[in-house]
Amino acid sequence: MTASRRPKATPQLDLAQAATLFAVPARTEMLLALQDREACSAGELALCAGVSASTASSHLAYLLDQGLLAVEQQGRRRVFRLADPQVSAALEALRLLAGLPRR
């Protein structure tokens, strides 16, 4: 698609783009784990998602870049948490839409 034919940004496209942040099952598992706990290390999140450490690292970097996560250094360890309550609210709304019970 050429630049002149590219669709303009609209609220619908922005919403679709935001929805893709939750579309990867491993990413969603990590986010849900952080919703259930206050903070986790990358290794803990990899275990929760059932992925390798390198795969988890890629997903965590993406989620950080997109503003869904925050990270803090605790000594030699980095711990991740949800960036703000809106992320948790979005997860809860998606859980309800999917017909899943609260964890």
Side-chain angles (χ1 to χ4, degrees):
M1 191 177 277
T2 65
S4 62
R5 296 184 65 198
R6 187 170 294 143
K8 291 182 181 180
T10 66
Q12 293 83 5
L13 287 177
D14 292 341
L15 180 60
Q17 184 178 17
T20 64
L21 298 172
F22 301 95
V24 177
R27 242 185 254 153
T28 303
E29 284 301 319
M30 289 185 225
L31 291 168
L32 290 171
L34 289 168
Q35 187 180 33
D36 294 340
R37 305 171 195 156
E38 188 158 319
C40 294
S41 69
E44 292 166 330
L45 292 168
L47 283 174
C48 289
V51 297
S52 69
S54 63
T55 298
S57 180
S58 294
H59 286 305
L60 292 169
Y62 180 75
L63 292 169
L64 276 166
D65 186 56
Q66 297 301 309
L68 271 64
L69 295 182
V71 64
E72 81 178 49
Q73 197 75 32
Q74 291 183 349
R76 292 178 46 197
R77 187 178 151 184
R78 288 172 26 134
V79 293
F80 297 85
R81 62 178 174 74
L82 297 180
D84 67 41
Q86 289 180 331
V87 178
S88 185
L91 284 167
E92 195 56 38
L94 289 171
R95 197 184 298 218
L96 289 171
L97 283 172
L100 299 174
R102 288 183 165 218
R103 283 185 163 189

